Amino acid sequence: MSDSISPAFSLEFFPPRDLAGQERLVRAAKQMLAIQPKYVSVTFGAGGSTRAGTADAVRTLRNLGCDAAPHLSCVGASRQDLRDILLSYKNEGVRRVVALRGDLPSGMGGDAGELRYANELVSFIREETGDWFHIEVAAYPEMHPQAANPSADLAHFVAKMQAGADSAITQYFFNADAYFDFVERARAKGVSAPIVPGIMPITNHTQLLRFSEMCGAEVPRWIRLRLAEFGDDKASIRAFGVDVVTELCQTLLENGAPGLHFYTLNHAEAPMAIWKSLSR
Ligand code: FAD
């Protein structure tokens, strides 16, 4: 990684569920301060299931000196719920949010909430709080799984940016070309804001396949075959994962990605190993 590139790294965490999880979050975040993240973000359980947990984790991370951004999703929420959450973050001095539609967990009933899509949430945040928040939104280089086709999905992404988002973080992917193609198509539609690749470290074969199935990220056949061959050999999976993901990050940064957003899953080891390999 040459000095001239100086990419911005950001880190994503989820709100811990218990004391042990809380300790793990703090330990991981402290270790990763070495990366000097531009900001860190904390996910939100759509429907509000982690409302307090997200706010607590944001406070914890801010106390460690990080610029911490809560994720906020509109599905299942009323305008008043969203207003209350935004105002409490504003009162605490939080300046950045990740605005999402979210997906209601199965079994949570059919109340979709008052805002249907993330572009409506972005507009709502701007109406309620003006320019207070830097707004990040989600982007899908390999297409959101519910979209009718890539062009429709791109049009919806452009609508989110036009509604007032400042930058975007992508769903993870392992095909760099999907990212470059998406950025090119977004630029052709007039989006000039940064689109930062979301990076998923490879540490667990079964979990990776499950996540990828749910979110529509393609795990290339050669990666699936190599992972299957490692079986339960966790050390080999991790070493292979660091090599593959470092190479992906290098390709992305060398070809113009403005930074990298690591999905840490509250563990420092894999993102740190990738970051160190990139720094060599
Ligand atoms: P949208 O941008 O609203 O898009 C959702 C779907 O609707 C897409 O298929 C889109 O093409 C379509 N669409 C959009 N607008 C319209 C329209 N006007 N008419 C018709 N169709 C439309 N989930 C969580 O629950 N909590 C989190 O913290 C969280 N963090 C995330 C962080 C990142 C960086 C990413 C990439 C995803 C995250 N997710 C999270 C997952 C996300 O909530 C889901 O992918 C969700 O299904 C879509 O959210 P969105 O904000 O991208 O939705």
Side-chain angles (χ1 to χ4, degrees), residues 12 42-46 71-73 98-103 116-120 137-140 144-147 152-153 156 160 169-171 261 263:
E12 184 170 310
V42 182
T43 61
F44 182 82
H71 294 207
L72 179 59
S73 68
V98 182
L100 303 146
R101 182 196 70 179
D103 295 305
R116 284 168 312 159
Y117 296 108
N119 68 305
E120 296 172 30
V137 289
Y140 300 86
H144 184 268
Q146 291 160 4
D153 204 30
H156 298 141
K160 283 194 282 202
I169 308 164
T170 76
Q171 183 56 273
H261 180 83
Y263 295 108

Side-chain angles (χ1 to χ4, degrees), residues 112-212:
E114 291 184 342
L115 307 179
R116 284 168 312 159
Y117 296 108
N119 68 305
E120 296 172 30
L121 177 59
V122 174
S123 298
F124 180 78
I125 297 172
R126 287 288 175 238
E127 279 157 29
E128 294 287 323
T129 60
D131 287 338
W132 178 265
F133 290 107
H134 177 107
I135 304 178
E136 305 275 351
V137 289
Y140 300 86
E142 294 180 326
M143 198 181 87
H144 184 268
Q146 291 160 4
N149 56 57
S151 305
D153 204 30
L154 179 67
H156 298 141
F157 171 70
V158 173
K160 283 194 282 202
M161 300 311 296
Q162 288 173 344
D166 296 291
S167 45
I169 308 164
T170 76
Q171 183 56 273
Y172 71 85
F173 54 86
F174 297 103
N175 298 304
D177 285 343
Y179 169 80
F180 295 123
D181 177 65
F182 181 82
V183 172
E184 197 177 310
R185 289 185 297 126
R187 298 287 179 247
K189 295 281 181 195
V191 174
S192 57
I195 301 172
V196 176
I199 303 296
M200 180 63 87
I202 299 175
T203 55
N204 181 315
H205 182 194
T206 326
Q207 188 187 48
L208 181 73
L209 295 188
R210 188 162 45 84
F211 281 180
S212 305

Side-chain angles (χ1 to χ4, degrees), residues 13-53:
F13 297 97
F14 62 82
R17 287 179 203 96
D18 53 26
L19 192 61
Q22 167 76 10
E23 287 167 3
R24 193 178 321 121
L25 169 69
V26 171
R27 204 166 45 241
K30 278 186 176 165
Q31 271 178 276
M32 284 187 278
L33 288 178
I35 295 180
Q36 295 185 304
K38 183 174 177 204
Y39 72 96
V40 299
S41 77
V42 182
T43 61
F44 182 82
S49 58
T50 69
R51 179 169 167 168

